[in-house]
Amino acid sequence: MKKLQKIKLSGVEVYPIIEGGKGIGVSNGQTAGAFAAADAVGTLSGVMPPARDEEGNNYHLEFSGKTRKDRSAEIIQHSINGSVREIKTAYKVSGGKGRIHMNILWGIAGAETIIHEVLKQTKGMIHGITCGAGMPYRLAEIAAKYNVYYYPIVSSDRAFTALWNRSYKNVPDLLGGVVYEDPWKAGGHNGLTNKENPAQPEPPINRIISLRKAMNKLGREHVPIIMAGGVWDLKPFEDWIDNPEIAPIAFQLGTRPLLTKESPISEQWKEKLLSLQKGDVVLNKYSSTGFYSSAVKNQFMTELQERASRQIEYKEQAEEGFVVPFFYSKHKPQVYIRDKDYLKTQSWEASGYNKKLITPDETLLFVTQEKASEIQKDQTNCKGCLAACKFSSWSANPETNYSTGRRADPRSFCIFKTLENLICGHDIEQELLFSGHNSYNFAHDPLYKDGNVPTVKELIDTFISGN
């Protein structure tokens, strides 16, 4: 096996290993600092770091705002304060070695404000900004203002070329790298578009080569591509190293740092990772962001799948195929459904799923009264954490009166609630567990034999050696 050699990232020579940023406190100052201390690149998340007491215990945020707009402002300010806290921790833990980056979703509310304010308060402590979950056109100009490197996350050469032509060409020298995130294998939110089939994964090699060709045409042949999603060890990528069609290349580890001594996740969560089998992580489109995402199939995910299966199309007026009158609420006018769907409704209602909710796609969703109350309560209590939320129909845009203009979608969920519950130690079976599709390797990799949990340094040393 080839041994990884250092390359230049964010201005210095480091090992081409980058921690993948995971929000709501999973990638924090301790993990990022440990990566940097090992002469690699640590990445903490600027997406709503958890509230933490003096003993270091996470607790649920308390909000005073009575409106979504007010609560959104609170969560933005909290993200700024928490990110500054974690960057200072990472800088201290790093001992001045490696590089420290911050990851932020372009699709969260106040993303630009958070980046600006954090960079103002952490000069000299942070070296790069990684950004995805959208098209972060203004990332380059923000980076230029604070003289830090920027790292867009893309899933195709088309996306990078669009970003370059729109704005990145104006700040070429601070483009530290381009993160190619495999939209079929990466954990968390994925960049699948309508042009890709979620059920037919494409090998990353051809897409990586296309990205390198696009970058070379723009004079960025010296800028590293960072392979993210599906990276477990170097064996599948040995031929990529020093390959002129691809290099320079770096590798992002998103899932593996979850199972390290520095990782802040619960012991229950770590034990779950060690038990996963192939196929236990599923690609789905339930996220309130509207993006595809990859998560562990636990009770939380199973409930979402079963909930989505209990829906039927309806029409407000009778038409061909939709001729059966149906009253979904005693306070609402009747609608029309298919004859074949009527028997389904009777079966669902007999099983206790007798509350009907309307979706944005002209379907009726059948849930229990308890689940309907939970959904409606969560929608009412929306914290405005996203720039646009399909679950609550919140939008951070004042020009649209803080609404997406679409009906709230009861097939989704409050992403802030479940991720905060998770980092605060709630039952992992009842919450969203983002994970990469290669996480089943925890159960078979010798590094984790007999339940061993390595340090970040041990993980990086193993990865560098090619073992």
Side-chain angles (χ1 to χ4, degrees):
M1 284 292 299
K2 292 180 181 177
K3 188 174 180 179
L4 276 184
Q5 303 299 321
K6 291 184 177 182
I7 66 171
K8 184 168 282 190
L9 286 165
S10 293
V12 301
E13 297 282 328
V14 293
Y15 288 113
I17 304 171
I18 298 174
E19 176 187 12
K22 297 166 285 293
I24 319 288
V26 177
S27 295
N28 63 11
Q30 292 292 338
T31 63
F35 264 81
D39 255 351
V41 179
T43 307
L44 55 90
S45 175
V47 180
M48 294 162 280
R52 188 172 297 136
D53 63 24
E54 292 181 358
E55 285 73 42
N57 301 310
N58 297 332
Y59 63 88
H60 290 277
L61 277 173
E62 295 182 4
F63 293 84
S64 60
K66 298 186 181 302
T67 68
R68 294 178 177 184
K69 177 185 174 183
D70 292 338
R71 294 192 291 269
S72 183
E74 289 181 58
I75 215 167
I76 291 169
Q77 187 58 52
H78 170 76
S79 291
I80 294 168
N81 296 341
S83 297
V84 170
R85 177 194 70 206
E86 297 303 322
I87 289 170
K88 289 179 178 179
T89 297
Y91 185 72
K92 182 178 180 180
V93 171
S94 74
K97 299 177 68 177
R99 297 282 88 176
I100 298 169
H101 292 178
M102 182 174 77
N103 175 278
I104 192 161
L105 277 73
W106 198 248
I108 66 167
E112 293 182 62
T113 298
I114 294 168
I115 298 172
H116 274 292
E117 291 301 318
V118 170
L119 291 180
K120 282 180 188 177
Q121 298 179 46
T122 57
K123 290 181 179 178
M125 300 182 194
I126 189 164
H127 312 105
I129 296 290
T130 306
C131 196
M135 292 292 278
Y137 291 112
R138 288 184 293 279
L139 183 62
E141 65 180 78
I142 297 174
K145 184 172 181 179
Y146 301 96
N147 195 34
V148 299
Y149 291 87
Y150 63 101
Y151 295 78
I153 301 174
V154 301
S155 58
S156 69
D157 60 302
R158 296 187 305 274
F160 172 72
T161 301
L163 289 166
W164 178 269
N165 289 336
R166 176 87 173 259
S167 68
Y168 291 3
K169 64 183 180 182
N170 299 321
V171 192
D173 295 339
L174 288 177
L175 178 64
V178 179
V179 182
Y180 169 78
E181 189 173 73
D182 189 308
W184 290 277
K185 292 185 177 180
H189 292 109
N190 309 80
L192 280 171
T193 69
N194 294 332
K195 294 184 178 181
E196 286 112 11
N197 186 337
Q200 295 181 359
E202 297 178 18
I205 181 69
N206 295 332
R207 296 163 73 95
I208 286 278
I209 289 174
S210 294
L211 176 59
R212 173 55 69 195
K213 287 179 178 177
M215 292 172 65
N216 289 353
K217 286 181 182 178
L218 300 170
R220 301 299 97 191
E221 60 277 347
H222 62 287
V223 174
I225 291 175
I226 300 161
M227 176 63 203
V231 178
W232 187 266
D233 55 39
L234 284 177
K235 294 182 182 70
F237 307 103
E238 185 176 11
D239 292 340
W240 293 26
I241 302 170
D242 300 324
N243 183 335
E245 286 192 293
I246 296 172
I249 186 77
F251 301 94
Q252 179 170 298
L253 303 179
T255 297
R256 293 195 71 174
L258 288 171
L259 200 54
T260 57
K261 292 191 185 306
E262 293 87 349
S263 171
I265 67 175
S266 68
E267 291 304 312
Q268 184 190 23
W269 191 348
K270 290 180 180 180
E271 290 172 6
K272 180 73 172 180
L273 291 170
L274 285 167
S275 71
L276 293 178
Q277 300 299 314
K278 195 167 187 177
D280 283 350
V281 175
V282 292
L283 189 64
N284 67 88
K285 208 175 184 184
Y286 300 120
S287 172
S288 46
T289 63
F291 292 107
Y292 279 93
S293 69
S294 296
V296 173
K297 189 176 181 181
N298 57 1
Q299 292 176 23
F300 180 90
M301 187 57 57
T302 298
E303 191 280 324
L304 284 169
Q305 292 173 324
E306 292 176 350
R307 189 195 312 175
S309 72
R310 294 190 303 272
Q311 62 180 315
I312 58 170
E313 289 185 72
Y314 73 89
K315 302 294 180 184
E316 293 185 355
Q317 303 294 329
E319 59 180 71
E320 184 178 356
F322 293 83
V323 295
V324 179
F326 188 75
F327 289 89
Y328 66 90
S329 170
K330 61 183 179 181
H331 303 297
K332 302 290 184 181
Q334 71 179 17
V335 294
Y336 296 87
I337 64 175
R338 295 186 181 97
D339 183 64
K340 66 177 183 179
D341 289 333
Y342 182 71
L343 290 178
K344 293 180 184 177
T345 69
Q346 299 303 291
S347 174
W348 292 334
E349 290 186 326
S351 299
Y353 303 105
N354 48 22
K355 182 68 176 177
K356 281 79 75 177
L357 303 176
I358 299 178
T359 78
D361 300 320
E362 290 192 321
T363 67
L364 294 175
L365 187 71
F366 288 69
V367 296
T368 63
Q369 181 61 57
E370 181 183 17
K371 179 57 67 174
S373 297
E374 178 189 342
I375 291 169
Q376 290 161 354
K377 180 181 178 181
D378 288 347
Q379 289 171 335
T380 300
N381 292 338
C382 172
K383 305 300 190 296
C385 66
L386 298 175
C389 176
K390 77 173 188 178
F391 175 65
S392 68
S393 76
W394 150 267
S395 169
N397 186 357
E399 295 181 3
T400 61
N401 197 27
Y402 301 103
S403 170
T404 61
R406 286 177 58 80
R407 186 185 296 274
D409 195 336
R411 297 165 296 188
S412 187
F413 55 90
C414 176
I415 195 165
F416 174 80
K417 172 190 169 184
T418 186
L419 293 180
E420 189 190 42
N421 282 348
L422 192 60
I423 201 66
C424 286
H426 287 222
D427 182 2
I428 61 168
E429 287 297 325
Q430 305 300 328
E431 309 298 344
L432 177 68
L433 277 179
F434 281 141
S435 187
H437 288 257
N438 279 349
S439 53
Y440 66 90
N441 283 314
F442 282 123
H444 313 290
D445 193 305
L447 185 61
Y448 310 95
K449 187 177 180 181
D450 298 325
N452 177 60
V453 176
T455 64
V456 165
K457 180 70 164 57
E458 290 169 336
L459 170 61
I460 290 175
D461 287 345
T462 301
F463 191 85
I464 290 170
S465 71
N467 294 325

